[in-house]
């Protein structure tokens, strides 16, 4: 039915958007020597949110652990 097609289309659009965002984040962590401060916090928060939605974030766990082990409280603070 038309409703099912719309739901399927929205899901495909969501997956496309998520895959683009994951590629962007993966590229940032790969290209930059060390992502710092606000950017690191922002990207890890996005990764954790996507994980909670059920997406595979294979590369994000290491970044989350690195953030948690940081001695800089400001890097961990999510406002």
């Amino acid at each position: 039915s038309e409703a099912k097609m719309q739901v399927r289309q929205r899901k495909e659009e969501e997956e496309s958007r998520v895959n683009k965002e994951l590629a962007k984040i993966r590229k940032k962590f790969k290209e930059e020597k060390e992502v710092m401060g606000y950017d690191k916090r922002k990207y890890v928060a996005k990764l954790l949110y996507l994980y909670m939605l059920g997406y595979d974030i294979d590369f994000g766990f290491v970044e989350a652990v690195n953030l948690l082990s940081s001695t800089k409280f400001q890097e961990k603070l999510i406002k």
Side-chain angles (χ1 to χ4, degrees):
S1 77
E2 189 174 326
K4 287 182 182 180
M5 287 176 49
Q6 288 178 345
V7 168
R8 190 177 310 125
Q9 183 180 1
R10 285 190 201 124
K11 183 67 176 167
E12 289 172 1
E13 290 171 358
E14 176 185 313
E15 288 178 3
S16 173
R17 168 102 176 155
V18 166
N19 288 333
K20 286 178 187 175
E21 190 65 26
L22 285 172
K24 176 183 158 188
I25 295 170
R26 185 179 286 116
K27 182 178 177 184
K28 286 285 186 185
F29 280 123
K30 196 179 234 183
E31 286 183 352
E32 295 183 22
K33 218 175 198 181
E34 190 173 341
V35 179
M36 300 292 286
Y38 173 77
D39 286 336
K40 187 174 198 173
R41 176 172 73 223
K42 175 179 70 174
Y43 294 139
V44 169
K46 284 182 179 185
L47 290 171
L48 293 175
Y49 179 70
L50 292 173
Y51 178 73
M52 290 189 307
L53 291 177
Y55 289 96
D56 183 26
I57 56 161
D58 53 347
F59 69 96
F61 295 111
V62 172
E63 299 303 334
V65 169
N66 288 340
L67 181 62
L68 289 172
S69 64
S70 172
T71 57
K72 299 175 185 170
F73 178 73
Q74 286 294 79
E75 283 188 356
K76 301 178 192 183
L77 183 63
I78 297 178
K79 298 177 184 180

